[in-house]
Amino acid sequence: MSNWLDEIAWDDKGLVPAIAQDAESGDVLMFAWMNREALARTAELGEAVYFSRSRNKLWHKGEESGHTQKVREIRIDCDNDVVLLKIEQVGGIACHTGRHSCFFQRYLGDGPRWEAVDPVLKDPKDIYK
């Protein structure tokens, strides 16, 4: 019997893209990376753990902000090279900007330009001390 982690098509750096989706609304909340340990810890804890490439370490989502992600389901795509986490976003804020989703900017062709279309729910200065 093979280890379930061996079935993931890890990239040459040992990472796999991970998408966090609100289990209720279907909103895509964020994108991050996972390494083998992050995915194993996510499954073990029932909360999202990612790998921070900039800090080169595991990142338990919400460890500073309190906005953890309770994992309801873990899926992989047909090529086994993307992880989808269906989650419950504690506090309703997934983005470090204080918004519900990291995907808050919409392309507008009349500029062309990007425009923030989702509100800040909480000032980041009040989230990160």
Side-chain angles (χ1 to χ4, degrees):
M1 171 123 170
S2 72
N3 182 317
W4 64 278
L5 292 166
D6 293 336
E7 296 181 40
I8 302 295
W10 306 100
D11 73 9
D12 59 353
K13 294 182 179 92
L15 301 174
V16 66
I19 298 165
Q21 179 183 40
D22 187 293
E24 294 300 314
S25 70
D27 290 347
V28 175
L29 301 181
M30 57 176 276
F31 166 85
W33 294 94
M34 292 180 134
N35 64 6
R36 189 179 186 94
E37 185 181 0
L39 185 52
R41 294 276 297 143
T42 295
E44 176 187 317
L45 291 173
E47 290 189 351
V49 177
Y50 301 105
F51 181 78
S52 170
R53 295 179 304 163
S54 60
R55 292 176 279 176
N56 198 36
K57 68 174 195 158
L58 291 185
W59 158 45
H60 185 169
K61 175 69 174 151
E63 64 192 4
E64 292 178 37
S65 66
H67 299 137
T68 56
Q69 295 176 337
K70 294 183 187 296
V71 176
R72 300 289 177 234
E73 207 174 323
I74 302 173
R75 295 185 180 207
I76 54 175
D77 76 334
C78 56
D79 295 321
N80 295 10
D81 63 358
V82 178
V83 171
L84 175 67
L85 301 178
K86 293 188 175 234
I87 58 102
E88 173 193 332
Q89 181 62 59
V90 175
I93 297 172
C95 186
H96 75 279
T97 66
R99 291 176 172 89
H100 175 63
S101 169
C102 294
F103 296 94
F104 60 88
Q105 299 177 89
R106 180 173 55 203
Y107 173 75
L108 299 174
D110 66 349
R113 61 193 164 90
W114 295 101
E115 180 177 72
V117 294
D118 295 338
V120 172
L121 302 175
K122 189 170 187 181
D123 188 322
K125 287 182 248 146
D126 296 331
I127 298 171
Y128 302 99
K129 305 293 181 214

